[in-house]
Amino acid sequence: MIEGKNISKSFGDRLVLENVSVTMEKGKTNLIIGQSGMGKTVLLKCLVGLIKADQGQVFYDGRSFSKMSFNEMKEIRQEIGMLFQGGALFDSLNVEENVMFPLSMFTEQTLSQKLERANFCLSRVNLENANKLLPSELSGGMKKRVAIARAISMNPRYLFCDEPNSGLDPQTAHLIDELIKEITLEYNMTTLVVTHDMNSVLEIGEKIYFIYQGKIWWEGDKHNILYTENKELQDFVFTSELTKKLKPKKGFGV
Amino acid sequence: MKFLFHFGRYLGLLGQAFQRPEKQSIYIRQILVEMEKLGLASVGIVAIISVFMGAVVAIQMAFNIDTPLIPRYTIGFVTRQSVILEFSPTIISLILAGKVGSRIASELGTMRVTEQIDALEIMGINPATYLILPKIVASMLINPFLIGMSMLLSVGGGWLAGMATGLFPTADYVNGIQSFFHLYDIFYAFIKTVVFAFLIASVSAYNGFYTKGGALEVGEASTNGVVYSSIAIIFVNLILTQILLA
Ligand SMILES: Nc1ncnc2c1ncn2[C@@H]1O[C@H](COP(=O)(O)OP(=O)(O)OP(=O)(O)O)[C@@H](O)[C@H]1O
Ligand SMILES: [Mg+2]
């Protein structure tokens, strides 16, 4: 479980997060949704400590992250897998080296053990036969999948994904959603996914926070999101032609 | 004020870089990789510049010493001295600041803006130690070889110039480069070289490491890396010369 309490962050005089409190539950996929530029990535980075919040605290299973020294933080971080919005693959390493990188740094596994693990992770994101390619030789969606494979290579206790399926075709996006849901359950991970893809929301949103104007505007799950009375969330949810069809009609009662 | 901010942050970054590495074997491999990228890749340019530098110094000496009061072997002697004491350690270090410094700053700058440095940090790896320490160590190990090679080639360049132009007899030149040789001069030159290597790697790494923004800022960081490591070299050169030759 990851708790963020009263997190505030501004850049200059632009307040991006205002007193945000969230609880990410263990064994569930927790979602942060919201429009572009609303501070989803900033919130995620505050939770992992890449951005220093102006105020607020973060707890990992009760351990106060905000008060830790760099070396104590390092221990928790080895339990974190993170997918960056842009992938953040290491350009100088090829696909399998990228995925094996955390294993090389933190385990004493032999090369063949590491390769086996890397191939397993790559097969889970449906990426075979790309092992020797460099990041510059990959398509956007392939980069994303390699980055996911790298994030899960160490079997993390905490998984953070910043828009895991943006830029992917619907089929692969679905596959990635399934994968995230599956491994979260399988390894009882605490998973946090930032997304603005309504398909993902309805598929994997076991707990959902909607962030609007720097605040948590709404929280719920995939079952009650369609019945929300919240004006801003309705605007967010029912924008596409597809989701409009899902909108419950007034008077038909729920 | 701004200088103090950067200097303080630079020292802070060095403090982070000089920490116990997570895994020794990986760092040793990183150092070897950097030695190849930063050192071997510069052999060509260092060689060309050195030969021409030595030739020019020798020819200038020959033109300036045309009184019979000064013995002809002086040309060889002075060429050797200027090359060892100043031209090779300082000029070649400045060239390397341009070549290696821009490379380090743009590599780290790109890694910063594409979040690769954040990715390292998230994995629990100290990015300063992982990325910067091997570059500093590699530069300090490989640059003395480059500078040593430069000294030999420069002196050789002077000899070639004498042969090609006929301005001075090569026998005198060879005699000159063997006269009044002090081992301390070589020691002095290599102390300078190692200090400059440290400055090139660390100052340009600092400029890259704290890049903010995008591709444009990476270019800026790369330029700044070269400018500030060159300034640092010139400045420290003055101090070291005072201390070591006093
Ligand atoms: N390092 C920074 N410096 C200044 N402003 C920043 C910085 N990072 C983010 N911001 C600002 O914070 C706001 C929120 O950014 P953030 O990246 O969290 O948006 P987001 O919700 O993730 O959007 P998207 O869905 O497009 O990724 C933006 O207005 C952005 O301009
Ligand atoms: Mg974002």
Side-chain angles (χ1 to χ4, degrees), chain B residues 174-202:
Chain B
V174 172
N175 186 7
I177 58 178
Q178 292 169 335
S179 315
F180 313 111
F181 184 78
H182 299 295
L183 208 57
Y184 183 77
D185 293 347
I186 300 276
F187 170 76
Y188 161 81
F190 280 111
I191 291 283
K192 289 215 295 194
T193 300
V194 172
V195 173
F196 295 163
F198 174 83
L199 288 174
I200 294 169
S202 61

Side-chain angles (χ1 to χ4, degrees), chain A:
Chain A
M1 188 168 75
I2 304 169
E3 293 160 285
K5 291 191 177 150
N6 306 317
I7 297 174
S8 295
K9 175 73 194 172
S10 38
F11 292 104
D13 49 8
R14 191 175 171 334
L15 188 61
V16 177
L17 297 176
E18 189 181 353
N19 246 338
V20 169
S21 295
V22 289
T23 303
M24 306 296 161
E25 287 174 30
K26 204 185 180 92
K28 282 191 180 176
T29 42
N30 304 272
L31 262 53
I32 297 178
I33 61 172
Q35 292 162 15
S36 187
M38 278 301 165
K40 302 183 296 294
T41 301
V42 172
L43 176 58
L44 190 141
K45 287 189 175 173
C46 285
L47 291 175
V48 295
L50 282 177
I51 292 182
K52 207 164 165 39
D54 301 333
Q55 172 198 312
Q57 283 176 308
V58 180
F59 296 90
Y60 280 74
D61 289 317
R63 297 172 288 180
S64 170
F65 193 56
S66 338
K67 291 207 182 87
M68 285 181 186
S69 71
F70 188 81
N71 283 328
E72 289 173 306
M73 244 184 218
K74 261 163 80 169
E75 272 172 41
I76 289 204
R77 285 191 163 154
Q78 286 170 29
E79 304 172 344
I80 292 179
M82 176 153 170
L83 165 69
F84 284 83
Q85 197 165 351
L89 296 176
F90 302 122
D91 324 295
S92 54
L93 305 181
N94 67 26
V95 167
E96 66 184 21
E97 287 167 341
N98 260 287
V99 181
M100 288 192 298
F101 184 83
L103 302 170
S104 304
M105 287 306 282
F106 297 113
T107 70
E108 298 300 330
Q109 294 181 10
T110 63
L111 183 65
S112 64
Q113 285 172 317
K114 287 186 285 187
L115 268 176
E116 192 182 332
R117 175 73 192 161
N119 285 328
F120 173 74
C121 293
L122 285 167
S123 71
R124 297 209 64 166
V125 293
N126 239 359
L127 199 71
E128 273 121 358
N129 309 321
N131 285 32
K132 300 291 176 202
L133 296 179
L134 287 170
S136 58
E137 297 166 327
L138 302 176
S139 74
M142 285 162 94
K143 278 186 196 154
K144 201 128 230 180
R145 283 183 279 162
V146 178
I148 293 173
R150 185 178 68 182
I152 61 174
S153 66
M154 287 276 282
N155 265 334
R157 273 175 78 172
Y158 312 102
L159 181 64
F160 293 83
C161 298
D162 198 347
E163 306 201 4
N165 46 25
S166 67
L168 297 181
D169 61 277
Q171 256 179 322
T172 315
H174 178 74
L175 182 106
I176 297 296
D177 281 343
E178 287 294 309
L179 170 68
I180 290 174
K181 201 163 103 179
E182 234 174 80
I183 57 177
T184 300
L185 210 64
E186 208 175 311
Y187 301 108
N188 199 21
M189 293 194 287
T190 305
T191 300
L192 195 172
V193 178
V194 167
T195 186
H196 31 55
D197 178 23
M198 274 314 292
N199 285 324
S200 308
V201 171
L202 295 176
E203 233 169 281
I204 61 173
E206 293 176 282
K207 179 153 193 189
I208 303 173
Y209 290 97
F210 175 62
I211 184 165
Y212 185 78
Q213 290 190 343
K215 298 194 186 73
I216 299 296
W217 210 250
W218 181 88
E219 65 176 278
D221 60 33
K222 62 182 174 186
H223 303 295
N224 57 22
I225 194 167
L226 291 177
Y227 307 108
T228 177
E229 297 291 322
N230 188 305
K231 171 82 181 53
E232 287 75 20
L233 182 58
Q234 280 186 343
D235 288 347
F236 179 84
V237 172
F238 302 112
T239 320
S240 81
E241 290 303 318
L242 265 177
T243 46
K244 270 180 196 160
K245 297 200 169 74
L246 294 172
K247 189 167 183 171
K249 303 267 186 311
K250 282 243 162 59
F252 282 81
V254 187

Side-chain angles (χ1 to χ4, degrees), chain B residues 66-244:
Chain B
D66 55 359
T67 143
L69 291 176
I70 302 175
R72 298 303 284 171
Y73 70 77
T74 312
I75 296 168
F77 169 70
V78 173
T79 303
R80 186 200 72 207
Q81 285 304 87
S82 11
V83 160
I84 289 182
L85 292 178
E86 203 53 43
F87 281 94
S88 283
T90 310
I91 303 287
I92 297 298
S93 289
L94 285 172
I95 302 282
L96 290 174
K99 186 163 188 299
V100 172
S102 63
R103 187 196 167 105
I104 291 178
S106 56
E107 180 184 332
L108 291 182
T110 306
M111 290 191 78
R112 168 63 75 191
V113 303
T114 55
E115 296 181 313
Q116 294 175 51
I117 292 183
D118 288 341
L120 284 171
E121 202 173 328
I122 274 299
M123 289 175 191
I125 296 164
N126 182 340
T129 316
Y130 180 74
L131 295 172
I132 300 177
L133 189 59
K135 291 184 172 40
I136 293 180
V137 174
S139 294
M140 291 171 79
L141 289 175
I142 197 83
N143 282 20
F145 285 96
L146 290 173
I147 305 293
M149 178 190 83
S150 160
M151 290 172 180
L152 293 175
L153 288 175
S154 295
V155 171
W159 179 72
L160 280 179
M163 291 230 294
T165 60
L167 277 172
F168 47 88
T170 45
D172 286 348
Y173 182 82
V174 172
N175 186 7
I177 58 178
Q178 292 169 335
S179 315
F180 313 111
F181 184 78
H182 299 295
L183 208 57
Y184 183 77
D185 293 347
I186 300 276
F187 170 76
Y188 161 81
F190 280 111
I191 291 283
K192 289 215 295 194
T193 300
V194 172
V195 173
F196 295 163
F198 174 83
L199 288 174
I200 294 169
S202 61
V203 172
S204 55
Y206 169 77
N207 278 284
F209 197 79
Y210 288 110
T211 308
K212 274 203 181 95
L216 219 57
E217 284 80 5
V218 172
E220 211 169 280
S222 157
T223 311
N224 286 342
V226 176
V227 170
Y228 290 116
S229 48
S230 303
I231 292 174
I233 288 175
I234 300 283
F235 185 70
V236 171
N237 187 27
L238 184 67
I239 296 174
L240 274 183
T241 307
Q242 287 277 334
I243 296 175
L244 291 172

